[in-house]
Amino acid sequence: MTENDFRFTAITPLPAMGAVTWQSPSNIALVKYWGKYGNQMPANPSLSFTLSHCHTKTTLRYSKSETVGKEIEFDILLDGVAVPDFKPKVAQFFERILPYCPYVGQYSYTIETSNSFPHSSGIASSASGMSALALCVLSIEREMRPEMTDDYFYDKASFLARLGSGSACRSILGPLVVWGQHTDIPNSDQLLGSVYPFEVHEVFANFQDTILLVDKGEKQVSSTVGHGLMNGHAFAKARFEQAPKNISALTDILKSGDLDGFIALVESEALTLHAMMMSSHPYFILMKPNTLEIINAIWAFRKETGIKLCFTLDAGANVHLLYPKNVAGQVLTFVSDTLAAFCKNGEYINDEVGLGAKQLA
């Protein structure tokens, strides 16, 4: 697809006011994207699990603006409290989507949002938040374009979400989503996330993700800054070549149900992501001491029991513990008896693979 496929230029009567609510999940990348170029384009393709219980719920209230042509007016509330720190990112999102959704400039907005997980703690709150907002915006357009197909709606929603936060384009659908062009995946696209099209073994159908909350505070370095540091990175070329190869390898793993192969690849990807951070200039470390304690405990438990569980990390300190549902009982006992001690206030979230966003109102 091209960017022009998503431009809406027809002049149609606009609804005077309204409200729409979407719930959109977070996602966890198995093969990571790190580095981007142009208008939110990924430097390498990525492949992610869509989650289920970690989500953002957003209500967008809109009414015709009396100051059309000027800066878009909006208020944003998190759990009912105004959050001015969010406004620059949302304002940038509105500005970026205007060429594709010109009606956005005709309204003023109130954005009411809430997360089922701690904000800015490495659980991709920008992914769930921006995808939920994109879906709300596009619901206004669908009201004006009743002929819009579901396929087009979700493609454009993913396209718009990417302009707010790159990984947000992977939170529209599920359970596995690829973003970025890959020679082996026919529907892959730089502009949007698309459902992984190949056969997946049943062992991965209901995979579990227990998120161990090592640190619930703001990250010291934002993902946006981290992505920018891949420009001129000493190892960037090798990384951008490695990621597509890992997706090709993961395609075979997902088809065969090779859990040992899955573990080796996914854990390597997580550590590679953080290796890129630690070897950039300036360098930074987002893992905490308890992140490493958890990783070592997972390795020891897997060696002792033979249970096929593994970890992955996003750009933060928290650890995602991935495992098949049929071993959930043993794994959750391990979590409560051992790993919870390394979590902030003993907190963790039990999640699982999900099917994507849903409209609530």
Side-chain angles (χ1 to χ4, degrees):
M1 302 190 80
T2 70
E3 293 187 354
N4 285 334
D5 292 321
F6 298 115
R7 295 184 188 275
F8 176 50
T9 57
I11 300 174
T12 59
L14 296 173
M17 64 179 61
V20 60
T21 302
W22 277 86
Q23 177 177 293
S24 189
S26 184
N27 66 76
I28 179 65
L30 306 174
V31 174
K32 315 292 184 179
Y33 111 91
W34 198 242
K36 55 189 175 182
Y37 67 93
N39 198 9
Q40 296 284 92
M41 300 289 197
N44 66 262
S46 58
L47 181 63
S48 62
F49 270 141
T50 307
L51 297 181
S52 179
H53 306 312
C54 286
H55 54 72
T56 297
K57 183 171 72 172
T58 295
T59 296
L60 181 67
R61 304 187 190 279
Y62 55 95
S63 58
K64 283 284 196 70
S65 175
E66 297 179 357
T67 57
V68 173
K70 298 182 180 180
E71 187 174 303
I72 296 173
E73 296 180 348
F74 66 92
D75 294 313
I76 183 165
L77 308 175
L78 176 65
D79 298 323
V81 179
V83 277
D85 290 350
F86 286 13
K87 295 197 76 169
K89 190 174 182 76
V90 174
Q92 182 184 60
F93 171 70
F94 282 143
E95 181 180 343
R96 285 175 174 173
I97 69 173
L98 265 174
Y100 312 99
C101 309
Y103 53 87
V104 165
Q106 305 293 311
Y107 293 103
S108 59
Y109 304 92
T110 299
I111 304 166
E112 301 167 3
T113 189
S114 62
N115 295 325
S116 65
F117 54 89
H119 172 70
S120 295
S121 59
I123 315 180
S125 59
S126 61
S128 56
M130 282 298 176
S131 57
L133 181 56
L135 286 158
C136 288
V137 167
L138 197 54
S139 293
I140 302 174
E141 182 174 326
R142 184 159 60 176
E143 187 173 342
M144 296 180 278
R145 302 174 68 183
E147 77 284 0
M148 186 186 294
T149 66
D150 286 346
D151 285 346
Y152 181 86
F153 177 83
Y154 289 115
D155 280 351
K156 184 166 181 178
S158 181
F159 172 86
L160 297 177
R162 188 197 92 245
L163 297 176
S165 172
S167 59
C169 75
R170 300 192 312 243
S171 281
I172 302 294
L173 298 170
L176 280 160
V177 175
V178 61
W179 172 38
Q181 287 182 334
H182 191 288
T183 55
D184 296 339
I185 302 178
N187 64 334
S188 58
D189 200 311
Q190 292 290 93
L191 298 176
L192 51 90
S194 52
V195 174
Y196 178 76
F198 300 134
E199 180 182 350
V200 178
H201 192 278
E202 62 182 1
V203 73
F204 297 111
N206 52 10
F207 233 57
Q208 306 292 291
D209 180 2
T210 295
I211 304 162
L212 304 157
L213 300 177
V214 173
D215 183 12
K216 294 170 63 178
E218 294 279 341
K219 290 185 294 188
Q220 293 178 342
V221 178
S222 73
S223 294
T224 298
V225 171
H227 284 293
L229 293 176
M230 287 298 283
N231 296 321
H233 195 294
F235 306 125
K237 183 176 184 293
R239 170 57 192 160
F240 298 153
E241 293 172 351
Q242 177 193 47
K245 292 177 182 177
N246 280 348
I247 289 180
S248 295
L250 190 56
T251 297
D252 293 332
I253 289 167
L254 291 171
K255 181 178 180 180
S256 66
D258 176 9
L259 286 173
D260 288 327
F262 181 86
I263 288 167
L265 191 151
V266 168
E267 290 190 343
S268 174
E269 272 285 320
L271 294 176
T272 298
L273 171 66
H274 283 260
M276 293 298 101
M277 301 174 193
M278 289 187 280
S279 54
S280 64
H281 293 285
Y283 46 80
F284 58 101
I285 300 174
L286 293 184
M287 289 189 285
K288 301 291 185 182
N290 279 355
T291 306
L292 299 178
E293 293 283 0
I294 288 171
I295 290 172
N296 281 311
I298 290 168
W299 285 343
F301 179 80
R302 189 168 69 218
K303 182 177 181 180
E304 178 184 342
T305 65
I307 291 174
K308 308 296 187 182
L309 80 171
C310 68
F311 72 87
T312 190
L313 307 165
D314 261 341
N318 296 331
V319 180
H320 290 250
L321 185 61
L322 303 176
Y323 52 94
K325 190 172 184 177
N326 63 2
V327 296
Q330 296 153 285
V331 172
L332 291 177
T333 297
F334 168 56
V335 170
S336 61
D337 290 351
T338 303
L339 299 185
F342 301 113
C343 298
K344 186 81 170 180
N345 301 321
E347 292 184 66
Y348 53 90
I349 300 170
N350 291 323
D351 210 332
E352 58 189 341
V353 171
L355 296 177
K358 56 184 177 182
Q359 186 169 4
L360 301 181

